[in-house]
Amino acid sequence: MNQLPALANLIFEGTGSGAFARIDYGDPNGHCPVVAEIAFDGGAPYPMHPQTLDYTSTVAYATEAGIEPLANDSWTSAVARFSDNLSDTVECKVTVTGVADGGAHMHAGPICVSVSPNPFNPVASIEYQMPAAGNLRVEIYDVRGGLVRTLLDGAVNAGPGRLTWNGRNSQGSLLSSGLYFCRITALGRMEVKKLLLIK
């Protein structure tokens, strides 16, 4: 019996000609999709391409870099559609709007993030600028891709904000010197910053 594939983590990275969309595709039957596409604001779909061909685990799919809606930052909603049999379709939708003066809706711009000092010891300051109110997730990963701590996962207002990380994991243990990554996810966008912890 065919089981529907699952979609997760639809994100948008980069700007201008380097902008692209990415999503995680998982199929319990190990099937590759016969439909893998994303459409913006109800327009014509753009194909999404696998980043690996090993369907025994989750496969990342991405658009070509610089497709028109992403390059121009001109979209307000995106729908990724996948099907492994042409009759059953799964979708993942993202809508990003903010309220401008006069009540008009506008697309939220990129999240601006800075880290200082870097390298750091014992505390790094992570400052962000949210273009619109929404959920913000700030996570710290090690070089193997393991999540070591979630600094924030919740709703925040538009505007500037600041968090600190003291080089400790979620159990409170001080981590060893080395390279870490701060991943900030909000409003359908993701930014990654490198952090170097020195002792």
Side-chain angles (χ1 to χ4, degrees):
M1 182 175 132
N2 183 55
Q3 295 179 331
L4 289 177
L7 302 177
N9 302 321
L10 177 57
I11 59 173
F12 304 89
E13 299 184 58
T15 57
S17 62
F20 66 95
R22 186 175 70 78
I23 195 167
D24 292 332
Y25 169 90
D27 191 312
N29 302 114
H31 297 155
C32 68
V34 291
V35 174
E37 62 187 25
I38 187 168
F40 297 89
D41 300 320
Y46 293 86
M48 300 190 80
H49 307 286
Q51 306 303 292
T52 178
L53 296 178
D54 179 9
Y55 286 92
T56 59
S57 60
T58 300
V59 177
Y61 271 72
T63 63
E64 297 288 338
I67 59 175
E68 185 178 350
L70 296 179
N72 298 334
D73 201 23
S74 59
W75 62 279
T76 56
S77 67
V79 180
R81 296 185 190 95
F82 283 69
S83 175
D84 64 353
N85 62 7
L86 284 181
S87 60
D88 301 312
T89 301
V90 292
E91 295 184 348
C92 182
K93 183 174 182 179
V94 169
T95 301
V96 185
T97 58
V99 179
D101 292 339
H105 289 276
M106 64 178 186
H107 178 65
I111 311 155
C112 298
V113 181
S114 65
V115 177
S116 63
N118 197 10
F120 75 97
N121 179 18
V123 175
S125 175
I126 302 160
E127 297 184 10
Y128 61 86
Q129 179 75 31
M130 284 282 284
N135 195 76
L136 175 67
R137 180 179 296 177
V138 181
E139 300 162 308
I140 305 295
Y141 289 84
D142 61 25
V143 293
R144 297 182 303 278
L147 176 65
V148 296
R149 188 162 175 192
T150 300
L151 300 179
L152 176 66
D153 187 5
V156 298
N157 295 324
R162 180 175 175 271
L163 299 167
T164 58
W165 181 47
N166 59 5
R168 295 180 182 272
N169 64 17
S170 56
Q171 288 77 42
S173 301
L174 190 60
L175 298 169
S176 58
S177 297
L179 183 64
Y180 295 88
F181 298 92
C182 178
R183 186 171 81 174
I184 300 95
T185 310
L187 307 174
R189 303 293 182 95
M190 183 178 75
E191 298 285 339
V192 177
K193 296 289 184 182
K194 296 178 181 177
L195 296 127
L196 185 59
L197 171 60
I198 57 173
K199 295 181 180 177

